[in-house]
Amino acid sequence: MESNVKTAFYPGSFNPFTAGHQSIVDRALKLVDKIVIAIGTNPGKPNDNATERLQNIERLYAGNPRVKAIIYSGLTVEAAKETGATFILRGIRGVADYELERTLAETNLRISGMETLLMPALPELSMVSSSMVRELGHFGYDVTQFLPVKEK
Ligand code: ADP
């Protein structure tokens, strides 16, 4: 059944969800009706912190009924279709991301017919990555400036 509601499926590890991720969601909300932030998990790694990641994202968007967060495993396009999403949303920070994202987008289109929208990072956030936040945090650096800010 065709729906007029445009839903974007935003998959990632989000370990942790950063100010860069938040900026992609906030900007994309101007283009679509709903966004499903989807935390991909590997069933072989039962002790990851996916539930904690989920709760942090849910808290962040608690006041926004247009944003939903889920945990999924398996093929991204299948999880996306299950949520009723019409396309996949991904961010690109630079050429390294671009090469990977282009391949993923082409593969997902080929295997499922599902399109991917690539949104460029804001220049001031293009150096923010989850791994950088994890590493700085590990060494005791205050990473607040790289983390999302709660909506009012
Ligand atoms: P993955 O492990 O699938 O790469 P990430 O959680 O690292 O998942 O990122 C999810 C998506 O968000 C990816 O498309 C990534 O390129 C994008 N992204 C990550 N950081 C930023 C940022 N600072 N600005 C814009 N997009 C970003």
Side-chain angles (χ1 to χ4, degrees):
M1 200 171 63
E2 274 292 300
S3 160
N4 288 330
V5 179
K6 276 201 170 44
T7 302
F9 190 85
Y10 183 33
S13 310
F14 305 119
N15 190 20
F17 193 84
T18 67
H21 296 133
Q22 182 182 33
S23 136
I24 294 292
V25 171
D26 289 352
R27 290 161 65 211
L29 276 173
K30 295 177 191 145
L31 309 172
V32 302
D33 301 307
K34 288 187 174 175
I35 297 182
V36 178
I37 301 170
I39 302 168
T41 54
N42 180 346
K45 275 202 291 176
N47 291 327
D48 71 2
N49 58 352
T51 307
E52 198 185 310
R53 282 181 266 160
L54 177 75
Q55 287 168 348
N56 285 338
I57 297 171
E58 282 177 341
R59 259 195 299 276
L60 187 63
Y61 290 104
N64 192 336
R66 294 169 61 209
V67 180
K68 193 183 153 189
I70 62 164
I71 294 173
Y72 78 100
S73 57
L75 272 185
T76 298
V77 287
E78 277 172 14
K81 281 186 175 168
E82 270 169 33
T83 64
T86 25
F87 62 91
I88 292 168
L89 172 68
R90 295 280 286 178
I92 34 177
R93 287 160 288 190
V95 287
D97 278 353
Y98 174 75
E99 282 303 330
L100 172 76
E101 296 299 342
R102 188 175 54 84
T103 308
L104 278 175
E106 282 175 14
T107 306
N108 286 331
L109 183 62
R110 176 80 71 94
I111 64 173
S112 72
M114 186 167 282
E115 293 284 2
T116 299
L117 182 76
L118 297 180
M119 182 169 270
L122 291 180
E124 64 270 30
L125 292 172
S126 66
M127 32 60 78
V128 178
S129 69
S130 297
S131 56
M132 179 266 265
V133 168
R134 283 201 308 275
E135 189 152 340
L136 290 178
H138 177 76
F139 290 113
Y141 186 84
D142 179 5
V143 291
T144 311
Q145 63 176 308
F146 306 122
L147 295 178
V149 179
K150 176 97 174 80
E151 285 184 347
K152 274 147 267 157

